[in-house]
Amino acid sequence: MDSEEVSSLSQAGVIAAQARTTTNETPSDGEISAWTPSSWTTKPIKQDVVYDDRAAVSKALAKLERSPPIVTPTEICKLKKCLRDVALGKAFLLQGGDCAELFDYCEPNMIESKIKLLLQMSLVLIYGAHKPVVRIARMAGQFAKPRSTPTEQHNGKTIPAFRGDNINGYDPENRTPDPSRLVSAYFHSTTTLNYIRASLDSGIADLHSPLDWELGHVKDETVKAKYERIVESITESLRFMKTIGADSAASGLETVDLYTSHEGLLLEYEQSLTRGLKVPIPNAEASPDNGDGKKWYNTSAHFLWIGDRTRQLNGAHVEYFRGIANPIGIKVGPTLSPSDLISLLSILNPTREIGKITLITRYGEQNIASLLPAHIRAVKASGHTVIWQCDPMHGNTCTTPQGIKTRHFSAILSELSQALRIHREEESFLGGVHLELTGEAVTECVGGSEGLKDEDLSFNYLSFCDPRLNEKQALELAFLVAGFYRER
């Protein structure tokens, strides 16, 4: 969904910059200036938010500046170590969650359902790929969404588009950007992550507990039998481990690591939670520190990514992302040339730290075959070691004749299958998948073994943004990926 957007310096970002000292000037061609958490305010910005009340923005950002970190450098460094293994082909990355979280999603049942779904999917992928799985949730901060146009029509009036709960409300009467929502986003993120941690510590991911592998929705008996064999193999393996005593507390079967992520879209929010903190493990990271044993960590999430609409080489988002120590992702779509991709890697990862960069490809099933090979070859020639992750969702969105936004399961599977094949042909490997999903029984994507059709979408269509895979469709996709690895 390409758009025509206005480049400008961020209004709220300039306010955010007042909290810090900026020593750099706009660099000339070929020159990289000194980085500070606010140096992005000197750059042109896309998808900016303009607030009416500047004093309220200052108050909200000052509150965030004083607030404790949501995540810690120790957790971030632990994830970077795991992602290094993914980049080297020793592990697989599963990343999934809502298109755009709502504040209302911060409640126990919805949080637990996503945790359980990601756990089940990871078990299937472990079975198929014979590798550990790194789990990253699009949770605890994935509120803001880039939009194709800043406005929309409602009852004959032009109103601001809904841009996420941390910016404005979905109700047409609440579309004016409200800076107090920045603070609300912080507390909802903190509460969500607190409940995730408590749930994991309390045994929600304990593999001694029985898992619900109900497959009654699978209508094709051949496919159903195939999935049942996978489930039986997984449960038999767990049963065997219990029999020989390999399921003790030291085995790690009681809990798992689950990291959080979101698109780093609102830079004033991200800057306010960017802290210069001690590197927890000496010499644990390849990138240099600030000379005092500290690095700049974005403490709003473990992992952040740059969207397809905000990855301009001289833009504010790339400038901000180049200075943080977190592992980061880059959305790679049809409009990104191989040469610009390499330029991005050079700017964002000049030390070529392995596991630092995840390339999240999102071409669409019709485009991937003509675009992915050139990107793979360019990265190989550059000498960068990256994680290749397939997002088969965003390039395959369509609209029904009734005007309902949806995605076809067959198109999602097609792009993912092509990615697996192309990487193999190019002597590369797909390191992970990036999915928009929910643990709820929604009807937003058509197809899959449930056989959902266009007319079924109205049964339980709950998304306020893009359509998500429901729990059965997401698990089915994991089965299919596992089958690819097992059959090769």
Side-chain angles (χ1 to χ4, degrees):
M1 297 185 292
D2 295 326
S3 62
E4 204 173 86
E5 297 152 319
V6 179
S7 295
S8 64
L9 296 186
S10 166
Q11 179 210 57
V14 172
I15 297 174
Q18 294 172 355
R20 301 187 188 275
T21 302
T22 306
T23 59
N24 65 296
E25 297 176 351
T26 303
S28 58
D29 291 342
E31 178 188 356
I32 298 295
S33 62
W35 186 91
T36 69
S38 61
S39 57
W40 63 270
T41 61
T42 68
K43 302 286 187 176
I45 189 168
K46 301 281 189 179
Q47 298 285 331
D48 192 24
V49 179
V50 178
Y51 295 97
D52 293 338
D53 189 343
R54 293 176 65 92
V57 175
S58 297
K59 181 179 179 181
L61 296 178
K63 171 66 176 175
L64 293 173
E65 287 269 356
R66 298 191 304 271
S67 299
I70 298 175
V71 303
T72 68
T74 299
E75 294 168 338
I76 293 169
C77 289
K78 187 176 181 180
L79 174 58
K80 289 183 83 171
K81 184 178 179 181
C82 293
L83 291 178
R84 176 183 172 86
D85 287 341
V86 175
L88 296 174
K90 299 176 182 178
F92 192 85
L93 172 58
L94 171 63
Q95 189 168 3
D98 289 297
C99 166
E101 285 180 283
L102 298 179
F103 292 162
D104 285 347
Y105 293 175
C106 183
E107 64 92 21
N109 292 333
M110 297 190 77
I111 295 172
E112 289 178 9
S113 67
K114 281 190 275 283
I115 297 174
K116 291 175 181 177
L117 177 57
L118 289 171
L119 172 63
Q120 281 187 287
M121 292 177 71
S122 65
L123 285 176
V124 174
L125 293 170
I126 290 169
Y127 162 84
H130 293 293
K131 296 176 181 179
V133 170
V134 180
R135 305 165 188 87
I136 302 180
R138 291 171 56 114
M139 291 175 68
Q142 177 52 18
F143 300 113
K145 289 295 292 183
R147 303 314 301 253
S148 300
T149 56
T151 60
E152 65 185 37
Q153 293 297 312
H154 178 74
N155 292 336
K157 288 184 175 183
T158 299
I159 63 172
F162 174 59
R163 300 186 60 181
D165 256 1
N166 59 345
I167 298 175
N168 57 5
Y170 185 75
D171 189 313
E173 300 299 319
N174 296 324
R175 293 297 178 85
T176 300
D178 179 358
S180 71
R181 287 176 174 269
L182 296 171
V183 178
S184 293
Y186 169 86
F187 284 107
H188 280 87
S189 298
T190 303
T191 303
T192 298
L193 183 53
N194 180 63
Y195 190 75
I196 290 172
R197 288 170 171 150
S199 297
L200 293 174
D201 286 345
S202 299
I204 192 174
D206 189 344
L207 296 185
H208 300 103
S209 304
L211 294 170
D212 179 14
W213 296 100
E214 196 274 316
L215 297 171
H217 66 283
V218 182
K219 297 178 181 179
D220 187 308
E221 290 301 322
T222 302
V223 173
K224 184 176 181 179
K226 180 179 178 181
Y227 294 168
E228 286 174 340
R229 286 195 296 271
I230 294 175
V231 170
E232 178 58 30
S233 179
I234 293 171
T235 53
E236 182 60 34
S237 297
L238 294 173
R239 195 179 302 124
F240 174 75
M241 294 178 72
K242 182 176 182 180
T243 301
I244 66 172
D247 65 338
S248 63
S251 68
L253 290 185
E254 279 79 12
T255 189
V256 298
D257 289 321
L258 181 64
Y259 301 97
T260 62
S261 67
H262 63 257
E263 179 177 353
L265 192 61
L266 261 61
L267 294 184
E268 50 267 18
Y269 176 84
E270 305 301 345
Q271 177 188 327
S272 297
L273 290 166
T274 302
R275 311 288 164 80
L277 300 171
K278 287 282 188 182
V279 178
I281 307 171
N283 304 316
E285 302 182 66
S287 55
D289 58 36
N290 304 323
D292 56 1
K294 294 182 178 181
K295 291 187 179 182
W296 291 107
Y297 292 96
N298 182 310
T299 64
S300 70
H302 302 105
F303 179 101
L304 297 97
W305 70 86
I306 305 175
D308 200 42
R309 297 185 181 91
T310 54
R311 50 169 167 70
Q312 296 75 26
L313 293 175
N314 195 44
H317 289 80
V318 170
E319 170 62 22
Y320 171 77
F321 270 76
R322 77 177 177 91
I324 59 174
N326 305 58
I328 60 176
I330 307 169
K331 285 292 185 88
V332 178
T335 60
L336 182 61
S337 69
S339 60
D340 279 354
L341 174 57
I342 302 310
S343 296
L344 278 171
L345 292 176
S346 298
I347 294 169
L348 295 170
N349 190 22
T351 61
R352 303 193 177 195
E353 182 182 356
I354 298 174
K356 169 73 174 180
I357 304 289
T358 298
L359 297 180
I360 311 166
T361 61
R362 33 94 73 226
Y363 306 107
E365 66 161 335
Q366 302 297 330
N367 300 318
I368 183 172
S370 62
L371 297 171
L372 178 57
H375 282 147
I376 293 174
R377 293 166 195 164
V379 172
K380 273 188 175 182
S382 74
H384 285 272
T385 301
V386 302
I387 296 168
W388 289 99
Q389 186 184 41
C390 178
D391 168 4
M393 308 292 293
H394 283 89
N396 294 303
T397 306
C398 58
T399 304
T400 70
Q402 295 75 33
I404 301 174
K405 188 187 290 189
T406 190
R407 289 161 174 156
H408 288 267
F409 186 87
S410 59
I412 294 168
L413 176 60
S414 172
E415 180 163 357
L416 183 52
S417 299
Q418 289 183 72
L420 288 160
R421 175 181 55 79
I422 291 168
H423 276 287
R424 182 179 295 174
E425 291 173 351
E426 295 293 331
E427 297 183 341
S428 174
F429 58 88
L430 184 66
V433 293
H434 187 119
L435 304 171
E436 289 187 341
L437 54 81
T438 176
E440 310 300 314
V442 300
T443 54
E444 297 171 1
C445 294
V446 297
S449 293
E450 286 182 285
L452 292 179
K453 299 180 175 62
D454 286 358
E455 52 266 31
D456 299 322
L457 295 176
S458 60
F459 290 165
N460 200 30
Y461 197 106
L462 301 178
S463 177
F464 286 84
C465 195
D466 288 340
R468 304 159 294 175
L469 296 168
N470 63 32
E471 83 285 9
K472 292 182 173 64
Q473 291 168 327
L475 193 56
E476 180 174 2
L477 204 63
F479 280 130
L480 292 168
V481 174
F484 175 91
Y485 282 106
R486 298 287 291 193
E487 294 165 6
R488 64 180 178 176

